Every structure is written in C-alpha cells, then in structure tokens.
C-alpha cells in the first residue's frame, strides 16, 4: 500500500490545550507524521483557521471547551461555533473525532443509557451498573428515583458532566439515605461494584486496543452509620496513586484476583465502535468480585495513552486506513506493521497492540 509520501503531501491540523501540548512529544509526532507523508500544523483557535494552511485532518482535544460551551460559557461558545463553521465550510476534512460524537461522552447519563440499552451485553456477562440522575437535593424524591431505577447502596455520586473542569472528577461514595444530602445536582448516582481495588483501563485507536491495570477503590458495603467518602479520581486511580482507599480490608483479602476476559473486552469495543464510533477513546472496566461479570463504568474521549506502545505509529496507520476507507473493516493490508504480525493479532478485526514488542521504543504520546 502507498503511504502517501510519494503522491502529494497531506496535512494534519492539531489542537489541544497548552497543558496537553506541553506534555506532547511533538518531535516524535512530527517524525511519525512525516514518515506517513503528513505535514503537521499546530492550530491556534484564537486566529481564523482559514489563515493557518489547508488541512485534510482536524485532530483535536476540544472536550473541555465543548463542555464549557454547552454550559453557556460565552468565550467557549464562540470558539466552538467558529470551529463548527470552519468544518462545515470544509466538508472534506476528516475530523478526529466529530464534535457531535464527542458530545455524547460529555454526559455520563447519556452514555450510561447507551450501555444499559445494549441488548448483547447481558448474555455475555457485561453490564453497566444501575444508575439514576439527581436534578434536585430533595432526599425523599431522590430515594424514590433510586428505587425506581434499582440503584442500591453504596453508590458513587458523579457529576453528570464528565469534562470541563477538575470538579468533573470529584466523586463521593455514599452508604445510606442520610448521606445523599452531600450530592450536588446535576449528578448521577451509580451502584457500587466490589472489584478488589483493581481497575482495567482500555485505550482504543480505531480497531486497535491496549489494556492497562490501575489502582482503584477497595470493596465497600452498605451501612447505616458510615459517612460519605469524598475522593478525586486522580488521587486514587493514577498509575502511581497510593491512596488508603485502595487498600483492601483484611476480610476481603482472600478473594482471588481477576484478570479481564479478552472476549468480553472485545465485545465492549465492538459495541462502542458501532454505537459511538470514536477513533480515539478509552473506557474503564471493573470486574464484579462475586460474579466475574465485567462492568463498564466510564467512557473517555481522547484519553492520555500514556502506556500505549507505539501510539503515533498506530494512530497514523489508522488514519491511513480511514483515508482509504478501510478503518472499520480491516482489509488485510497494513502500512508499517508486518502483515504476518497483524494477521496473527487480529481477532474479528480488532488488534491488541500490547502483545506486540515495541518496535520504535516510543510509548504513549507524552514525554514522560
Ligand atoms: N460503579 C462503580 N463501582 C465501583 N467503583 C467505581 C464505580 N464507578 C467509579 N468507580 C471508581 O471511581 C473512579 C472514577 O470514576 P469514573 O466514572 O471512571 O470517573 P472519571 O471520569 O473521573 O474517570 C473509577 O476509576 C473507579 O475507581
Ligand atoms: Mg474513569
């Protein structure tokens, strides 16, 4: 397959926040782009996009700005409407990922509903824990909403809007009715799944995926006396987090450790590809320690890909595939992975890149 370098050069316009941009390994990205025949243009959203060169692909991490715009922030609204105008004036530009698809994942209630409605999950031992949305602080009313929707204590209370600020990741474990007083609407409450403090994060690049393990919350049980526990996701679930909330209680320690079932992971990926269709996404899975069923508790737009082997290569392979209209249906060709390798790791069109020895020595998309 031609990699495009010998025909005309195409351009990828990229935008992300300064904070993300400072961490990005630009040198590696530019090198990988060049080897696939792409120019890289760093976009400035404060200047007209028309003046920044012709682009074929618009790659962005606009989640926080879209979330702020949807909540009425005037500056964010202006930026997003300019981007949308620009993209509608240039319909040939491939957007990674389309803003309307990104919007689905900004709202936890919305994406949990898609997961809950998925008919194929139940028979495969996959589920999303029961959940409900609170729009008021009326405890009696909220108890009724929970009962109607089968949500049981303990629950995790999460802000409905999943992006846009640090507070989107401020969580509360609530053990009983009186604890519900701390929930700040709009929020979702979700039944807690005991999972022995192990979180599995799955990172997707098109049809390719990588699974990582992270620390998570210890097991919790409903109780009339326990006060709510506040935590932020970063404190507990980062690779190097050492929260006391992750240390199992002695009576929980005998439980066997479970590893993810890859057939189940692939089923989840297929559903997300079909129902939401983002090229760059990730999701969180915890394994119910009594049933072994896999619970999808979170879906993310353009996650950090910190440990994803050869991220840039896989990303560009995938762009080439989508440019050739083959991204959803793998056609047996592969630009920079050997065909033998690809064939042996493709299972129903999905490829676990973690099984591959890293050939470029570059892991993730960041410097560190
Ligand atoms: N239903 C649940 N049962 C058990 N633990 C959960 C549940 N939902 C979330 N958690 C824990 O809380 C963390 C943060 O929740 P998550 O929905 O992933 O929010 P974020 O958007 O901040 O990543 C998870 O990584 C996991 O450790
Ligand atoms: Mg998460």
């Amino acid at each position: 397959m031609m990699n495009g370098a010998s025909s005309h050069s195409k351009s990828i316009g990229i935008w992300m926040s300064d904070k993300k941009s400072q961490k990005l390994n630009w040198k590696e990205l530019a090198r990988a782009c060049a080897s696939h025949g792409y120019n890289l243009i760093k976009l400035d959203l404060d200047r007209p996009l028309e003046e920044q060169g012709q682009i074929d692909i618009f790659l962005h991490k606009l989640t926080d700005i879209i979330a702020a715009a949807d909540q009425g922030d005037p500056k964010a609204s202006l930026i997003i409407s300019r981007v949308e105008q620009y993209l509608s004036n240039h319909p040939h530009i491939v957007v990674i990922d389309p803003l309307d698809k990104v919007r689905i994942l900004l709202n936890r209630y919305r994406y949990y509903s898609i997961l809950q409605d998925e008919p194929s999950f139940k028979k495969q031992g996959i589920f999303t824990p029961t959940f409900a949305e609170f729009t008021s602080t009326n405890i009696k009313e909220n108890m009724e909403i929970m009962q109607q929707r089968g949500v049981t204590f303990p629950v995790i209370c999460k802000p409905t809007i999943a992006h846009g600020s640090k507070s989107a990741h401020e969580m509360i474990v609530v053990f009983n009715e009186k604890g519900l007083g701390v929930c700040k609407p709009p929020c979702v409450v979700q039944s807690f799944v005991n999972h022995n403090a192990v979180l599995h994060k799955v990172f997707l690049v098109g049809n390719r995926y990588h699974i990582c393990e992270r620390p998570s919350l210890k097991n919790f049980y409903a109780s009339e006396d326990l006060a709510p526990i506040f935590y932020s996701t970063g404190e507990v679930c980062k690779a190097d987090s050492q929260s006391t909330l992750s240390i199992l209680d002695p009576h929980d320690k005998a439980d066997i450790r479970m590893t993810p079932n890859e057939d189940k992971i692939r089923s989840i990926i297929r559903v997300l590809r079909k129902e939401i269709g983002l090229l760059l996404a990730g999701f969180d899975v915890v394994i119910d320690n009594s049933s072994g069923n896999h619970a999808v508790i979170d879906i993310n737009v353009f996650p950090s890909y910190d440990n994803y082997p050869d991220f840039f290569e896989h990303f560009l392979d995938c762009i080439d595939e989508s440019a050739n209209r083959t991204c959803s249906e793998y056609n047996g060709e592969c630009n920079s992975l050997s065909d033998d390798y690809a064939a042996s790791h493709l299972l129903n069109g999905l490829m676990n890149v973690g099984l591959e020895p890293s050939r470029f020595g570059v892991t993730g998309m960041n410097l560190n």
Side-chain angles (χ1 to χ4, degrees), residues 4 14 82 93-94 97 107 127 137 145 173 177 200 213 215 241 259 262 304 355-356:
I14 177 170
R82 279 205 216 115
I93 295 177
V94 174
D97 278 299
N107 185 301
F127 68 110
T137 51
I145 295 173
V173 189
E177 179 171 346
H200 305 281
E213 212 173 84
S241 298
T259 45
E262 208 151 334
S304 68
L355 301 171
E356 167 196 29

Side-chain angles (χ1 to χ4, degrees), residues 14-69:
I14 177 170
W15 187 86
M16 55 180 63
S17 68
D18 287 341
K19 196 171 153 226
K20 283 253 166 205
S21 171
Q22 276 156 22
K23 282 204 269 170
L24 182 76
N25 192 336
W26 285 94
K27 220 172 122 190
E28 269 313 315
L29 176 58
R31 194 201 56 76
C33 285
S35 80
H36 283 250
Y38 290 103
N39 244 325
L40 189 59
I41 299 176
K42 192 179 175 195
L43 299 171
D44 176 356
L45 296 183
D46 294 329
R47 289 200 299 126
L49 290 166
E50 303 284 356
E51 294 171 6
Q52 300 178 49
Q54 210 187 328
I55 63 169
D56 303 279
I57 289 157
F58 178 65
L59 170 65
H60 68 88
K61 172 95 187 197
L62 283 167
T63 36
D64 289 352
I65 302 182
I66 299 171

Side-chain angles (χ1 to χ4, degrees), residues 201 233 284 298 300:
K201 290 191 87 74
T233 306
D284 297 345
D298 189 22
N300 301 113

Side-chain angles (χ1 to χ4, degrees), residues 81-341:
S81 65
R82 279 205 216 115
V83 169
E84 285 180 323
Q85 186 61 55
Y86 171 77
L87 294 175
S88 84
N89 290 347
H90 300 276
H92 70 281
I93 295 177
V94 174
V95 185
I96 300 174
D97 278 299
L99 273 45
D100 284 339
K101 291 184 178 177
V102 169
R103 280 197 179 92
I104 298 174
L105 296 189
L106 298 182
N107 185 301
R108 296 187 201 270
Y109 188 87
R110 202 169 158 198
Y111 69 74
Y112 289 147
S113 301
I114 294 174
L115 293 170
Q116 195 172 48
D117 292 346
E118 173 54 41
S120 69
F121 277 168
K122 199 172 176 192
K123 59 177 185 296
Q124 301 183 80
I126 301 164
F127 68 110
T128 195
T130 48
F131 64 97
E133 187 174 37
F134 292 169
T135 52
S136 85
T137 51
N138 183 322
I139 293 187
K140 284 277 159 295
E141 226 173 79
N142 287 343
M143 271 305 286
E144 266 169 43
I145 295 173
M146 276 177 61
Q147 273 152 11
Q148 266 166 22
R149 296 191 48 101
V151 180
T152 52
F153 289 114
V155 295
I156 300 208
C157 174
K158 316 181 183 188
T160 298
I161 304 302
H163 287 273
S165 65
K166 241 191 106 208
S167 61
H169 306 285
E170 281 167 7
M171 309 279 152
I172 317 168
V173 189
V174 178
F175 296 89
N176 47 49
E177 179 171 346
K178 25 181 216 296
L180 290 179
V182 301
C183 299
K184 283 206 200 90
C187 57
V188 296
V189 288
Q190 185 179 57
S191 305
F192 191 84
V193 176
N194 281 334
H195 56 278
N196 297 0
V198 184
L199 173 70
H200 305 281
K201 290 191 87 74
V202 182
F203 298 94
L204 303 178
V205 178
N207 290 331
R208 301 149 193 247
Y209 64 99
H210 179 57
I211 310 173
C212 283
E213 212 173 84
R214 292 285 150 80
S216 186
L217 294 174
K218 67 180 181 175
N219 301 332
F220 286 119
Y221 303 89
S223 150
E224 284 308 317
D225 344 293
L226 286 175
I229 296 175
F230 295 76
Y231 69 97
S232 79
T233 306
E235 260 157 49
V236 177
C237 303
K238 288 233 169 90
D240 56 356
S241 298
Q242 293 214 329
S243 167
T244 51
L245 294 174
S246 300
I247 301 171
L248 288 175
D249 291 334
H251 59 272
D252 283 322
K253 284 207 173 119
D255 281 326
I256 37 152
R257 274 263 289 101
M258 279 162 298
T259 45
N261 173 314
E262 208 151 334
D263 288 334
K264 291 191 170 100
I265 299 293
R266 280 195 290 269
S267 297
I268 299 165
I269 296 172
R270 254 177 249 120
V271 166
L272 297 187
R273 301 277 301 138
K274 184 162 140 273
E275 297 302 325
I276 303 173
L278 295 183
L279 193 87
L280 299 179
F283 60 93
D284 297 345
V285 169
V286 294
I287 303 176
D288 183 324
N289 71 353
S290 59
S291 65
N293 290 341
H294 286 34
V296 185
I297 54 161
D298 189 22
I299 313 175
N300 301 113
V301 183
F302 199 160
S304 68
Y305 293 103
D306 282 344
N307 294 304
Y308 196 102
D310 303 329
F311 172 78
F312 295 129
E313 280 303 319
H314 286 291
F315 172 63
L316 286 158
D317 281 355
C318 210
I319 287 185
D320 288 340
E321 286 166 23
S322 61
N324 294 319
R325 299 192 163 280
T326 57
C327 205
S328 59
E329 276 305 313
Y330 180 74
N331 70 352
E333 291 178 274
C334 216
N335 287 335
S336 56
L337 294 167
S338 84
D339 285 0
D340 282 353
Y341 171 76

